[in-house]
Amino acid sequence: MNPRYFYEDMQVNDAVDKLENKDKHNSEVAERLKARRLELNLSQKELSVISGVSTSQLSQIESMNYTLSKSNAEKIADALETSTEWLLEGKEEYKDKITYEELGYKS
């Protein structure tokens, strides 16, 4: 087991649970990213051009071989016309971007 998954007083079972939760989270993010990309009829190449994230990274994210960084999550969410809250956490109420005007604020 990789020591970076341990904290000072963490038991082995806790470290395994942490690792499994990370894998589950990456899997869910990958599924949402791919589903939204396909919903918008975008190829990985097209999403790469729009988001500025390389095709290689997108492929790795979708196949769960790469953990999404905050900056790439923001770029991809913008390109997919969604929020980082939906992309990273699956919060359905944030799936579609809402503008300040739609919320009643003036820009």
Side-chain angles (χ1 to χ4, degrees), residues 34-95:
K34 185 173 184 178
R36 184 64 170 188
R37 178 177 63 77
L38 295 175
E39 183 181 319
L40 296 174
N41 295 312
L42 294 172
S43 67
Q44 286 182 347
K45 177 75 173 163
E46 291 167 325
L47 180 56
S48 174
V49 170
I50 296 167
S51 68
V53 176
S54 74
T55 305
S56 173
Q57 284 180 323
L58 290 171
S59 176
Q60 290 176 355
I61 293 164
E62 286 187 7
S63 62
M64 297 174 291
N65 293 323
Y66 182 86
T67 302
L68 193 54
S69 70
K70 181 182 177 194
S71 65
N72 281 349
E74 291 168 347
K75 292 175 187 178
I76 292 168
D78 282 344
L80 293 175
E81 301 173 0
T82 192
S83 68
T84 53
E85 290 85 359
W86 178 79
L87 183 62
L88 297 176
E89 300 171 30
K91 295 182 179 181
E92 284 297 318
E93 65 269 26
Y94 296 109
K95 183 175 182 182

